[in-house]
Every structure is written in C-alpha cells, then in structure tokens.
C-alpha cells in the first residue's frame, strides 16, 4: 500500500464536514479541545492531519498557537476558507516525515488519523516525527479506535458500519497484515458511486512500543476524551505519551 497517496481529494473534501457531521457537533469537539488545551498549556500545538480544521480552529480559539501538517490540498483549502483560519499555519506533506517549523508543547492526531498511514514503518516514522517536534516535557496524543475484530466470525472479513437507505459502508479486514479498508457505496437517482479508503489498524500495545522506539514515555490512556477508564470493552482510546524533560 502507498503511505504517501492522497485519499482525501476533492470528491471527499467537498462533503467531508457534512458526511462527518456528528464529529463536528459540540459534544464531540469540546471534550477533545478541553483535553488538548490543558495539555498544551501556554505552548504551541501541532496537528498531524489537520484536514478541514475540526479541532484546530476551536483550539486556536482558546488562544493556543496551532500549526498543522496535511497531505491533502483539497482538505486544507476548506480549512483556509473558514473564519479564524488565518491564525493557523499549515505545512503541506506526509505527516509521518514532514517537518513543520519550530517545536511544540503538544503534537496530536485525532479521529483515527494514525491509521491513514498504511504500513507499520510509516506509523513508527510518525512517532519519531512527533517526538522530533516536541519540546522537552511535551505531549503526543492519539485518538483511535480499538480494532473491532471480535465482530468477525471465522471465514468472514467484512463488518458493515452503515446501512442507510441508498448508502452502505463496510470495513474489510486482512488480519494477517493488519491492512483494512473502509468502503462506501451510495445510490442516488439511479446512479451509484463507490470509493474505498485504505488504513492499517493498530493495537494500543503496539502504539506503546512505537512510542518507546521514539523515546516517548506513557502518560495516560482513557476510553475517550472524558477521561473514562480504558477497559477490555472500550471501543476506542485516547493515549498520551510524553517526551522526557532534558
């Protein structure tokens, strides 16, 4: 799989905010921004995969200096068209390796963005890149789902996650490689469209090992942005690692 491919081109960016409307609701955004603002304190923040600014804009509205890295010109164009975007700098490129100017007290990825890197090597590179951007004592935060493999009976590799009239979405897993894809089929006025976005799912313990490779230390892990305990039944997690003080 190509870790450097842009799967969020114009056709996705044009409808991204509406298709992910639930994630733009205040009850989804504000708890995340609360945590990130607290971790950033009076230091700057760097968002890897800044997209259309769902988190970056309200975080900047809290007085945090925010910069972003993103591969998709189409997504960033939507960000730049929004009020307040003039306060946010963006560096274009693959967030696994692209360097932004300066250093930061907080680096973060949200909404499963780490899985957009479709190889383990790229995910490890991302941790190293985050660590290279962090000031001593700074935090690296990832929000990502727990792989939903318990829903796969033997011999099955697909799990539907949306079955609305005229719109279907299915995750397809390869448990041998940890590659997966989210596949979307929509039918409107007798015409169908299909798109597929590749990912690589990753386990919490695997992320901890990547952090260790990058010389980052575990700080916290919650089931969500509210700080609920992470358990065997959690379907997602917010994990925080810290660069040691020098």
């Amino acid at each position: 799989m190509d870790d450097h491919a842009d799967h969020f081109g114009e056709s996705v960016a044009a409808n991204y905010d509406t298709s992910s409307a639930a994630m733009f609701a205040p009850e989804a955004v504000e708890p995340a921004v609360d945590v990130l603002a607290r971790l950033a304190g009076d230091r700057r923040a760097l968002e890897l995969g800044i997209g259309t600014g769902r988190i970056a804009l309200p975080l900047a509205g809290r007085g945090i200096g925010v910069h972003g890295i993103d591969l998709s010109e189409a997504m960033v164009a939507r960000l730049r068209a929004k009020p307040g975007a003039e306060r946010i700098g963006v560096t274009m490129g693959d967030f696994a390796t692209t360097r932004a100017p300066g250093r930061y007290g907080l680096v973060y990825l949200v909404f499963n963005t780490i899985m957009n890197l479709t190889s383990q090597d790229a995910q490890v590179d991302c941790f190293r890149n985050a660590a290279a951007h962090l000031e001593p004592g700074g935090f690296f935060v990832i929000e990502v789902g727990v792989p939903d493999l318990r829903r796969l009976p033997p011999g099955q590799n697909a799990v539907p996650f949306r079955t609305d009239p005229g719109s279907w979405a299915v995750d397809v897993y390869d448990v041998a490689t940890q590659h997966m894809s989210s596949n979307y089929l929509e039918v409107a006025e007798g015409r169908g469209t299909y798109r597929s976005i590749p990912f690589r799912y990753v386990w919490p313990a695997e992320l901890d090992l990547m952090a260790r490779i990058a010389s980052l230390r575990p700080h916290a892990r919650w089931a969500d942005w509210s700080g609920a305990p992470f358990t065997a039944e959690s379907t997602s997690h917010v994990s925080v690692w810290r660069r040691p003080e020098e």
Side-chain angles (χ1 to χ4, degrees), residues 7-8 23-25 27 32 36 38 55 57-58 62 92-93 127 131 153 158 162 173 180 190 196 219 238:
H7 297 282
F8 293 83
M23 296 302 297
F24 283 80
E27 56 268 27
L36 295 173
R38 183 174 71 247
I55 298 298
L57 287 167
R62 299 279 187 96
M92 300 306 301
F127 272 79
R162 189 174 69 214
Y173 294 86
M180 62 173 291
S196 180
H219 178 75
V238 175

Side-chain angles (χ1 to χ4, degrees), residues 2-5 46-50 68-72 91-100 107-109 113-133 140 142 210 214:
D2 185 356
D3 291 309
H4 307 283
L46 175 66
E47 180 168 359
L48 305 182
I50 194 169
I69 298 175
D70 206 288
L71 187 64
S72 171
T91 299
M92 300 306 301
D94 178 356
F95 63 72
T97 56
T98 298
R99 289 299 306 270
V107 179
Y108 65 94
L109 296 105
T113 302
I114 186 66
M115 297 199 307
N116 291 126
L117 302 174
T118 55
S119 72
Q120 187 181 69
D121 284 346
Q123 291 171 347
V124 169
D125 286 343
C126 177
F127 272 79
R128 288 177 168 146
N129 197 30
H133 282 95
F140 182 37
I142 287 180
M210 293 179 189

Side-chain angles (χ1 to χ4, degrees), residues 4-98:
H4 307 283
D6 178 7
H7 297 282
F8 293 83
E10 182 60 33
S11 62
V12 175
N15 300 303
Y16 183 81
D17 289 13
T18 52
S19 64
S20 303
M23 296 302 297
F24 283 80
E27 56 268 27
V29 171
E30 291 175 3
V33 173
D34 287 343
V35 171
L36 295 173
R38 183 174 71 247
L39 292 173
D42 59 358
R43 298 178 295 181
R44 296 195 305 155
L46 175 66
E47 180 168 359
L48 305 182
I50 194 169
T52 65
R54 181 180 71 93
I55 298 298
L57 287 167
L59 187 60
R62 299 279 187 96
I64 307 295
V66 180
H67 194 91
I69 298 175
D70 206 288
L71 187 64
S72 171
E73 292 279 1
M75 295 284 279
V76 172
R78 266 65 185 184
L79 163 63
R80 288 175 171 151
K82 294 178 179 179
E86 67 279 358
R87 294 175 293 185
I88 298 172
V90 180
T91 299
M92 300 306 301
D94 178 356
F95 63 72
T97 56
T98 298

